[in-house]
Amino acid sequence: MTTGNGRGTGDTEALREEIRRTRVELGETMEALAAKADVKARLRSSADQAKERVRDQTAQTVARVRGQAAQKAQLAREQAQEKGAVVRRNPTPFVALAAGAVAAVIVLVIVRGRQR
């Protein structure tokens, strides 16, 4: 029951509950302050976060470079196939070039043989 000054069994329970809540909040606040005061732990956490960011960025960069390399390799294959098709369609210029190279080698061998 409540008396004239506003105190009674209901108010007592409410006060006790308020004290419990205040203690819990105070405990949480103290834990937060202790965590902020622990410089080593904060530095370790910061370093771990930085390592993780670097790992993520490295993985993204490697994936991007591999993708670009695969595209370049595919382009090179396509170009090589196109050049091969051109040679198969009209091999005359390439045969003439090869024959000229063979003739140049023969001339060099003969000239060197005479110098000895």
Side-chain angles (χ1 to χ4, degrees):
M1 295 207 184
T2 305
T3 60
N5 62 6
R7 304 219 171 181
T9 57
D11 287 340
T12 305
E13 284 302 313
L15 284 172
R16 287 184 180 160
E17 182 59 33
E18 180 71 25
I19 291 170
R20 279 187 229 131
R21 277 195 307 254
T22 303
R23 284 182 180 160
V24 169
E25 290 174 4
L26 183 60
E28 291 172 355
T29 302
M30 291 301 293
E31 287 176 12
L33 287 172
K36 284 188 175 186
D38 190 1
V39 175
K40 285 184 182 179
R42 288 176 59 198
L43 287 174
R44 246 183 266 121
S45 174
S46 178
D48 291 342
Q49 290 174 358
K51 284 180 193 176
E52 190 61 33
R53 277 194 310 272
V54 168
R55 283 186 190 122
D56 290 345
Q57 289 173 348
T58 301
Q60 290 174 357
T61 301
V62 166
R64 188 181 75 243
V65 168
R66 283 184 178 161
Q68 290 174 347
Q71 289 174 346
K72 299 284 183 183
Q74 180 63 30
L75 180 63
R77 274 189 230 104
E78 291 171 359
Q79 288 176 346
Q81 289 173 349
E82 290 172 9
K83 300 295 180 190
V86 168
V87 170
R88 282 190 289 279
R89 280 193 301 259
N90 188 11
T92 306
F94 298 101
V95 170
L97 182 64
V102 169
V105 169
I106 291 172
V107 168
L108 283 174
V109 169
I110 292 172
V111 168
R112 285 201 170 218
R114 286 187 182 175
Q115 289 179 352
R116 288 186 185 179

